[in-house]
Amino acid sequence: MEQRYVPGFRDASFSAIAVHPSKRYIAVAEGCSAAMAVPPNIYVLAYPELEVARLLRNGTSRSYADLCFDGVGDTLASVGGDPDYMLTIWSWRSEKVVLRNKAFSQDVFRVAFSPDAEGQLTTSGMGHIKFWKVASTFTGLKLQGLLGKFGVSELTDISSFVAFPDGKVLSSTETGNLLLWDGGMIKCEIAAKGVSSGEGAKKRGGCHAGKVEVVMLFDQEIVTAGDDGVVKVWDFEMVDAADVTTNYGPAGSGGGGGEEQGGQGGNSGGGMNQVRIFEIEPVDELPIGKDVKVKHMVRSPTTPSEYLLQDSLGGHVFRIDTHKRTTDKILSFHAGPVVACDTSPLGHALASLGDDGTLRIWDYITTRSCIAKLRLGNPEEPSSTHGTCLQYLPTSLDPLGCTVITGSNDGVIRIITHTPFPPPKDGKQPQACSLYLQFVFKPHAGGLSAIEVSADGTVLATGGEDGTIFFFGIEKSHGVGVQHGLGAPSAVPKWDFAPVEEGGQGGVKFTPIGFVKAESPPVRISFSPDNSDGFENDEEEEDEEEVDGEEGEDGDKKPEDGERRESNESVDAKGTSANRRKLLVVLRNGEMFTMISPDAQKVDSSLTFEIHSDAVDMKQWEVSVPIKKPVEAPKDPKQQVAQQPPTGVSPSTAPSDQPATAQQEPNETAPTTMIPSTTNLSVPNSMFIEMRKSRGLAIRTGSPIVNAIYLEGGYAILAFTNTNGEGELRVCRLKHPDRSRLLLVYKSPISTIRITTSAKYIVVGSVDGMVGLRKLRLEDIEWTQKFQPTEHEQFAKFLERLEAESQDTKSSGQNLEQVQGEGPAQDIDPTDSIGDLLRAQSRGKMAENEPAGHYWLGYPHGCRYGTVSMIATSFDDSYLLSAGNDGGLFSFRVTFEDVQRSECTFLVDTVNWSHLCH
């Protein structure tokens, strides 16, 4: 199956798609985040060129829920999501709105035209279905809607429906039955034949055992599917002619009486408050497999009996043939959010962990396919275990770079090793990869929320939903092996990898030390790479105060360099020994703590593993900002006029930076012909930038910290959420919380950050699905006499510094391109790029007058549900990979870095892997 990737046109994801009846056009609609100050667009793409043919604007305020063409293909219907739920009818070729109306007051899932009745369409969603028609009145055409009445039938969400030629509509339910609608009323419920429940009574059976997600009509056959994983085919004529045959009690009562009348007849003695049931047998049914929930189906345009089927439980895509009764699994992926991903420190292997409880190993270079899969937890209860976090162990613990440590919602840590896969034979399919579960232990009562191993591989720290940080000591001898099986723990549990050779002494031993309680679950743990607290070789403090015996700012005698170094490398007043490691712990409530891992030799775990916070020198660290009198931003009358919303539009939904149609600039005029692929589709955001520059510092003392990276020399890169709800990355020195250097500002909160293996780049992900790459310079992260901040850097100063930097730096953004196929190129508005990571770049085309810089950003994940859960780069920095809560796992090729051969392949021939993993 061929796959092509089409990047988004702006910082928004695609939320809906529709195919033209001629198959020559595809309509895709955007879903925009709350932070995006402009409404979403609908793009009509010519197929197979995938170039923009038409652009439809202002159909909804934030996000589209569904799209559909009419049977002829001249009209397009769209329905919006929260907050307006607007139903819009478009003449898409002329890019004009024909009619619009509010569809409902709650979520709308689907919209579809009637295939046989012109001007009629249906919408459905949360607890409703609504029937629409285009009516001609003395004031012109209007959309008139009739809300369906459930009567005594149980109220239900309706995710799918199909219109019959005679105007009836058959819809899905959450209970497993089907509802036949006629004139806005339920004519009857369609159920499977009842089964005997004893004493002559009849027990009603649903069409499906669970929620119905698919209802389709093709060639006089109705096809349905749902949570029971079974595709069923029903006779259309029998369903269309269905009438009440059996009366049951009120909805949910399960009461009943009356006998089946052979598919004919009316009420058999029931009252008005009786559920109207028509029982029918399916013509055919095809079970897809165990643990399958059908979410969606599409029919093949060339083979009428073939369908593609999406499994929401197992993450699979099946190809089925209802006539041949065949089922083929053609794709497999995570079902639901991808909660974590990481790359091998020595090879081109990607490990991903899903909320579905599966660990997958990917070849992201050769085939971009899954090489191995392992389900965590009990295979008999696949839905009970959910993945939460993952990390590759350092090469100091696994010299092949093939071992991962995972966390799950059951509080269990699992150590899993995969075989290194060498380059594929003849450049084709990669060789097989196997997964081996090495060991399992449970340090937390709740789920795992964070995992981190110190750089030297001597300490493991885990965070749990129970609000604890658990520490393990790691001891390794001259060899590192792989365990053959699970062993029973002793009275004092010690977990070991088995020796490399039978009777050998090599191995790795994990020893539990104890846990420390926190006020909130830890979400990020970061160890100091050099175990420094920032005192050593402090050039800054040499400028501020005398070293030899002089008093410091606080009146205390400042220790000499040798004394400071000794306090780190030997033993301090609290008994800090050389094998203890400094770390940062970020909590979910936005607080951050510094601490030192406990000394295993001094912790008494005979009665409890709990450790007092004083034993780890646990201290809260927060940024310190002096309180200053706020400075009022200059008022520009022209700017105030530009910010006013159009008449009749509320400020919350009005585009804040788009003038009225009559005053639109030439590049914002809606085109009437084919749009070139390089057209700028972004809306200018200069007022947003000026606002940032004028408002000054946007962080305060105690501003929430959402992520952290401990750097050498006592520095740290911290991700803040500022007072405007934006994400800020700052370099701080832990000894000086009153000053920092700004690395970037982004309009939405930051969700994850990471420094690459080479330390040349920092990669970042946000809650609205953005992934970004920034090149790091020495002066960015190390404060010297020349680059010495004295306060927290503000946005205006940051912008000046970057503009100066751009004078002699070529943009690295044009060297980053996505792996998956070609797509329409476009420029990015310069002011928008400065506001959003300051150097936005797409498809290698820089916008006019945009200064060169060190930044690139992309929007592969959904902006509403696609929070980037983890971001990583390959060991050689040649690939950028991201995982998101929208279920996406994306790879990008960083073309200014050469792809290197996996280092672990050089070791494969020297290691008897089959012996190690026996």
Side-chain angles (χ1 to χ4, degrees):
M1 177 178 292
E2 181 183 356
Q3 178 179 341
R4 297 174 64 182
Y5 182 81
V6 181
F9 300 99
R10 302 186 299 177
D11 50 350
S13 60
F14 292 142
S15 59
I17 186 169
V19 179
H20 193 269
S22 67
K23 307 296 189 295
R24 281 286 296 124
Y25 299 96
I26 300 173
V28 291
E30 289 180 330
C32 298
S33 65
M36 191 170 178
V38 294
N41 294 330
I42 298 175
Y43 305 91
V44 181
L45 308 179
Y47 184 82
E49 298 87 357
L50 296 180
E51 295 181 346
V52 179
R54 297 293 186 272
L55 176 60
L56 311 180
R57 305 173 185 265
N58 299 320
T60 189
S61 60
R62 184 172 300 173
S63 178
Y64 287 97
D66 196 24
L67 299 173
C68 74
F69 286 97
D70 66 353
V72 179
D74 295 334
T75 305
L76 177 72
S78 67
V79 62
D82 177 70
D84 56 21
Y85 309 108
M86 188 64 66
L87 173 63
T88 306
I89 309 298
W90 304 83
S91 174
W92 66 271
R93 295 184 189 275
S94 59
E95 300 174 336
K96 293 182 179 179
V97 174
V98 178
L99 294 168
R100 67 170 60 194
N101 205 331
K102 188 178 181 69
F104 200 60
S105 58
Q106 298 184 75
D107 287 348
V108 183
F109 303 150
R110 187 158 180 252
V111 59
F113 283 97
S114 172
D116 301 282
E118 184 178 356
Q120 293 187 13
L121 64 159
T122 306
T123 59
S124 70
M126 183 179 293
H128 80 281
I129 187 169
K130 203 166 185 178
F131 309 97
W132 301 85
K133 67 177 180 179
V134 179
S136 179
T137 67
F138 67 94
T139 58
L141 295 178
K142 287 188 176 181
L143 264 177
Q144 295 180 346
L146 176 63
L147 187 64
K149 298 180 180 180
F150 285 88
V152 296
S153 295
E154 184 176 351
L155 187 69
T156 179
D157 295 347
I158 296 178
S159 56
S160 183
F161 60 83
V162 63
F164 289 177
D166 58 2
K168 298 188 188 75
V169 172
L170 183 68
S171 75
S172 65
T173 68
E174 296 177 278
T175 61
N177 281 348
L178 303 173
L179 300 179
L180 184 62
W181 298 84
D182 191 3
M185 305 286 289
I186 295 178
K187 184 178 181 182
C188 62
E189 287 192 29
I190 308 296
K193 289 282 188 180
V195 296
S196 175
S197 60
E199 299 182 0
K202 301 278 286 184
K203 182 179 179 180
R204 179 174 45 176
C207 294
H208 288 272
K211 186 178 181 180
V212 181
E213 294 281 5
V214 177
V215 182
M216 298 186 295
L217 173 61
F218 296 112
D219 303 330
Q220 300 297 304
E221 289 183 341
I222 298 172
V223 180
T224 63
D227 285 355
D228 58 359
V230 180
V231 176
K232 296 188 178 182
V233 180
W234 311 83
D235 183 79
F236 164 72
E237 293 184 356
M238 184 172 291
V239 174
D240 187 33
D243 206 344
V244 175
T245 60
T246 305
N247 289 298
Y248 294 85
S253 68
E259 297 292 328
E260 181 187 353
Q261 301 297 323
Q264 303 292 330
N267 257 345
S268 57
M272 293 297 295
N273 294 326
Q274 298 282 324
V275 179
R276 303 159 63 86
I277 302 296
F278 181 84
E279 295 183 337
I280 186 175
E281 289 283 0
V283 176
D284 193 12
E285 58 182 73
L286 178 62
I288 304 303
K290 185 181 179 182
D291 299 324
V292 172
K293 288 186 177 181
V294 181
K295 182 65 177 179
H296 189 62
M297 288 177 61
V298 292
R299 191 191 195 196
S300 169
T302 57
T303 308
S305 61
E306 281 191 1
Y307 297 84
L308 289 181
L309 180 149
Q310 177 193 356
D311 169 25
S312 63
L313 183 61
H316 310 300
V317 175
F318 294 91
R319 181 192 289 117
I320 67 171
D321 191 314
T322 56
H323 289 177
K324 298 179 181 178
R325 301 184 59 80
T326 58
T327 301
D328 299 318
K329 185 189 300 182
I330 59 175
L331 291 175
S332 181
F333 200 68
H334 290 288
V338 183
V339 299
C341 71
D342 199 8
T343 54
S344 169
L346 291 178
H348 290 292
L350 170 69
S352 65
L353 184 63
D355 182 69
D356 59 356
T358 61
L359 169 69
R360 297 171 187 255
I361 307 298
W362 302 84
D363 168 25
Y364 56 82
I365 290 185
T366 308
T367 62
R368 300 194 293 275
S369 61
C370 180
I371 304 300
K373 170 186 171 182
L374 178 68
R375 181 172 293 279
L376 307 182
N378 185 359
E380 299 298 326
E381 300 178 1
S383 60
S384 62
T385 303
H386 306 277
T388 57
C389 47
L390 169 145
Q391 186 184 53
Y392 265 94
L393 293 182
T395 54
S396 57
L397 298 179
D398 178 7
L400 294 180
C402 296
T403 301
V404 298
I405 181 168
T406 68
S408 54
N409 66 321
D410 53 7
V412 174
I413 290 176
R414 295 170 175 86
I415 299 176
I416 302 167
T417 301
H418 66 81
T419 55
F421 46 96
K425 295 180 179 179
D426 304 324
K428 298 180 180 179
Q429 292 293 328
Q431 298 185 32
C433 175
S434 302
L435 287 167
Y436 297 89
L437 180 63
Q438 303 297 348
F439 211 86
V440 179
F441 45 96
K442 183 181 173 72
H444 295 278
L448 269 292
S449 57
I451 290 179
E452 188 74 14
V453 179
S454 62
D456 59 359
T458 60
V459 180
L460 166 66
T462 64
E465 295 292 341
D466 54 1
T468 62
I469 304 103
F470 208 110
F471 294 92
F472 296 84
I474 306 176
E475 299 178 21
K476 56 184 182 298
S477 54
H478 62 272
V480 179
V482 180
Q483 184 175 349
H484 296 265
L486 300 180
S490 59
V492 179
K494 292 185 178 181
W495 298 282
D496 299 80
F497 286 103
V500 175
E501 299 178 357
E502 297 296 332
Q505 300 299 318
V508 177
K509 179 169 65 179
F510 289 77
T511 304
I513 301 175
F515 66 87
V516 180
K517 288 186 176 180
E519 296 181 357
S520 179
V523 294
R524 179 72 165 98
I525 300 173
S526 181
F527 282 93
S528 170
D530 61 352
N531 214 33
S532 170
D533 58 5
F535 276 116
E536 301 88 344
N537 301 321
D538 195 340
E539 296 179 10
E540 171 197 352
E541 296 200 8
E542 290 179 3
D543 295 334
E544 293 182 347
E545 53 193 0
E546 296 296 334
V547 177
D548 297 329
E550 298 290 337
E551 288 188 350
E553 295 179 355
D554 56 359
D556 297 331
K557 186 174 180 180
K558 184 178 178 69
E560 296 185 358
D561 287 344
E563 295 173 335
R564 289 184 240 131
R565 189 173 298 109
E566 181 180 357
S567 67
N568 276 311
E569 297 177 356
S570 181
V571 179
D572 63 11
K574 293 181 178 293
T576 305
S577 58
N579 63 345
R580 300 180 67 183
R581 296 292 173 260
K582 295 180 174 65
L583 66 152
L584 301 176
V585 178
V586 179
L587 306 184
R588 186 170 293 155
N589 61 6
E591 297 178 350
M592 187 180 79
F593 289 83
T594 62
M595 62 180 68
I596 306 174
S597 62
D599 188 348
Q601 303 299 326
K602 297 185 178 181
V603 174
D604 182 9
S605 58
S606 58
L607 297 178
T608 177
F609 279 108
E610 184 174 355
I611 303 173
H612 195 274
S613 59
D614 290 343
V616 295
D617 198 20
M618 185 176 181
K619 297 178 181 178
Q620 183 176 355
W621 189 98
E622 62 181 14
V623 65
S624 175
V625 181
I627 300 177
K628 296 182 180 180
K629 186 177 180 180
V631 180
E632 228 178 281
K635 296 182 179 180
D636 186 350
K638 295 181 180 179
Q639 188 181 47
Q640 290 179 346
V641 172
Q643 289 178 336
Q644 293 177 356
T647 304
V649 181
S650 64
S652 62
T653 60
S656 60
D657 52 2
Q658 185 174 353
T661 304
Q663 300 177 356
Q664 283 184 335
E665 297 180 6
N667 66 331
E668 289 297 316
T669 303
T672 56
T673 58
M674 180 76 72
I675 299 178
S677 59
T678 56
T679 298
N680 181 8
L681 300 175
S682 292
V683 176
N685 214 8
S686 57
M687 290 187 297
F688 193 47
I689 304 306
E690 292 302 319
M691 180 181 66
R692 278 181 179 164
K693 292 171 63 175
S694 63
R695 72 189 176 197
L697 193 63
I699 62 171
R700 300 291 183 264
T701 299
S703 286
I705 301 173
V706 297
N707 216 309
I709 300 175
Y710 212 143
L711 303 177
E712 295 180 357
Y715 295 91
I717 297 179
L718 305 181
F720 294 89
T721 300
N722 66 23
T723 55
N724 299 285
E726 301 169 329
E728 291 191 10
L729 273 190
R730 291 181 173 269
V731 175
C732 302
R733 197 163 192 184
L734 299 178
K735 297 296 295 183
H736 296 285
D738 60 341
R739 61 196 71 175
S740 64
R741 170 162 288 170
L742 190 59
L743 287 182
L744 64 89
V745 181
Y746 185 67
K747 63 188 177 185
S748 295
I750 292 169
S751 58
T752 181
I753 57 176
R754 194 166 189 172
I755 289 183
T756 64
T757 305
S758 66
K760 291 162 54 176
Y761 311 98
I762 183 171
V763 288
V764 58
S766 72
V767 299
D768 65 354
M770 179 276 297
V771 297
L773 179 144
R774 184 198 195 280
K775 188 174 182 179
L776 287 177
R777 301 183 305 165
L778 182 62
E779 53 266 32
D780 287 328
I781 56 178
E782 184 175 351
W783 299 351
T784 62
Q785 295 183 22
K786 183 179 179 181
F787 302 98
Q788 182 62 244
T790 58
E791 59 182 1
H792 296 292
E793 187 176 39
Q794 299 186 18
F795 182 79
K797 182 67 176 177
F798 170 50
L799 205 58
E800 291 177 9
R801 179 163 56 89
L802 291 177
E803 294 294 341
E805 173 190 326
S806 68
Q807 299 298 324
D808 55 0
T809 305
K810 292 182 178 181
S811 169
S812 60
Q814 57 185 308
N815 297 314
L816 187 78
E817 63 182 14
Q818 290 173 307
V819 173
Q820 298 95 330
E822 297 295 329
Q826 64 276 332
D827 295 337
I828 302 298
D829 183 79
T831 56
D832 187 62
S833 66
I834 292 175
D836 303 339
L837 275 181
L838 303 163
R839 297 295 180 272
Q841 170 59 29
S842 179
R843 311 301 298 169
K845 186 76 173 179
M846 296 298 292
E848 184 179 0
N849 299 325
E850 180 171 13
H854 289 276
Y855 302 85
W856 177 89
L857 66 84
Y859 296 86
H861 299 278
C863 62
R864 297 190 68 188
Y865 309 107
T867 296
V868 181
S869 57
M870 191 72 74
I871 194 165
T873 57
S874 58
F875 73 97
D876 56 4
D877 289 345
S878 63
Y879 282 84
L880 171 65
L881 305 111
S882 66
N885 288 348
D886 59 351
L889 187 63
F890 289 87
S891 62
F892 298 82
R893 172 74 174 94
V894 185
T895 58
F896 46 77
E897 297 289 346
D898 295 330
V899 179
Q900 300 177 14
R901 182 183 176 188
S902 298
E903 295 182 24
C904 65
T905 60
F906 295 102
L907 302 174
V908 172
D909 295 335
T910 64
V911 177
N912 187 347
W913 191 260
S914 61
H915 169 69
L916 294 180
C917 299
H918 177 69

